[in-house]
Amino acid sequence: MHYAPRTIAFLCELLHPPKAPDPTPIQRFHNSMFEGGDPTYRSFNVAPQGAVLSNPVTRPGAVSSVEFLADRYRFREELSSLTVEQFGERVMDVAAAVAELENLQVFTARIVTIRTLINPRNFGDSRAFLKHGVFGLDKETEAFGREPQLLGMRFVFTPTQDQPNAFTLRVESFANDPRSVFLENQGSFGPTRIAGGLDEVAQAIQETYGFLTEHALRFLENFDVRLEA
């Protein structure tokens, strides 16, 4: 069984040693993007917590931005048209360029969060899929005296010697569209040196996405079968 995941958010935080926010290198980088003719981010703003680069959006709830804070770079693409590969390239290119201007040597941690939606094949409602298909519940929820309107589960995969990163996976029904199952995977990865490129950042994004769209979906399809009447 194959699903068609609809990714609704890519987020990546690159932590670095704390420092006082300075908008000057960010503005210099923003100016250089316009000199190239096709800027990755069109707007530059300064907030109390740090500088922000962003793109105008027309879709409600959409975000396309990167914040340069005292202890991290925070990239956000929500309800965006970017693919996982394009997001990885954007994070690598922008982070490397700004880190050079700020004389950063290392990112102390990489945190990647990816959110996606799928539609079960044999259930028209994600709540029924989770309650009956995954959890195998029937009348047991009557103990609450009311029917739950959102169901979900959370898995935590801690680091091991062979897999030193951590994953935290959420699987829930989706309030905005009862037909869809909401999945979120957050990957936590160790430090990476900036010199020589940030391939390890793109790799962390790909691993987080792959765990979500391959392993998590393979787990769910075990339960996505038509129930006997």
Side-chain angles (χ1 to χ4, degrees):
M1 181 180 296
H2 298 286
Y3 297 105
R6 310 184 303 281
T7 301
I8 58 174
F10 294 111
L11 299 95
C12 181
E13 294 185 303
L14 302 177
L15 280 64
H16 58 70
K19 61 181 183 59
D22 180 4
T24 304
I26 316 306
Q27 188 169 30
R28 192 180 309 149
F29 170 67
H30 188 245
N31 292 341
S32 71
M33 286 194 296
F34 272 91
E35 292 170 1
D38 187 20
T40 303
Y41 296 102
R42 297 189 172 275
S43 299
F44 167 80
N45 293 286
V46 178
Q49 65 271 25
V52 181
L53 301 179
S54 62
N55 288 312
V57 294
T58 57
R59 186 174 178 181
V63 177
S64 177
S65 69
V66 54
E67 303 168 84
F68 298 93
L69 309 177
D71 66 344
R72 71 192 62 201
Y73 298 171
R74 179 184 293 151
F75 291 82
R76 295 176 62 195
E77 291 292 328
E78 301 189 45
L79 302 179
S80 167
S81 61
L82 290 187
T83 65
V84 63
E85 291 82 10
Q86 290 169 333
F87 179 68
E89 290 175 4
R90 174 171 295 191
V91 172
M92 275 199 310
D93 293 345
V94 172
V98 175
E100 182 177 2
L101 292 173
E102 293 194 310
N103 295 316
L104 286 178
Q105 304 300 316
V106 63
F107 289 120
T108 55
R110 297 157 285 157
I111 302 173
V112 181
T113 305
I114 297 178
R115 301 176 183 133
T116 195
L117 303 173
I118 63 162
N119 282 24
R121 295 295 181 88
N122 291 292
F123 294 81
D125 190 307
S126 62
R127 293 166 296 187
F129 170 56
L130 291 171
K131 178 179 177 179
H132 301 297
V134 178
F135 300 147
L137 300 176
D138 189 11
K139 296 182 179 180
E140 291 85 353
T141 53
E142 293 179 359
F144 296 115
R146 65 178 72 180
E147 189 66 15
Q149 295 305 305
L150 189 149
L151 296 91
M153 52 188 167
R154 180 171 178 259
F155 299 89
V156 176
F157 302 88
T158 56
T160 66
Q161 184 173 357
D162 294 332
Q163 297 172 309
N165 65 289
F167 286 132
T168 300
L169 174 68
R170 290 169 52 202
V171 181
E172 299 176 354
S173 55
F174 190 51
N176 292 347
D177 179 6
R179 297 169 300 175
S180 299
V181 175
F182 169 88
L183 298 99
E184 176 190 271
N185 188 33
Q186 183 175 90
S188 299
F189 300 80
T192 184
R193 297 198 63 81
I194 297 169
L198 293 175
D199 290 344
E200 289 184 338
V201 171
Q203 181 182 351
I205 293 170
Q206 285 285 356
E207 287 185 22
T208 304
Y209 182 79
F211 189 87
L212 184 64
T213 58
E214 296 173 17
H215 298 284
L217 295 190
R218 190 182 310 145
F219 168 77
L220 287 178
E221 72 179 1
N222 291 311
F223 308 97
D224 194 358
V225 295
R226 193 178 302 276
L227 299 178
E228 297 181 2

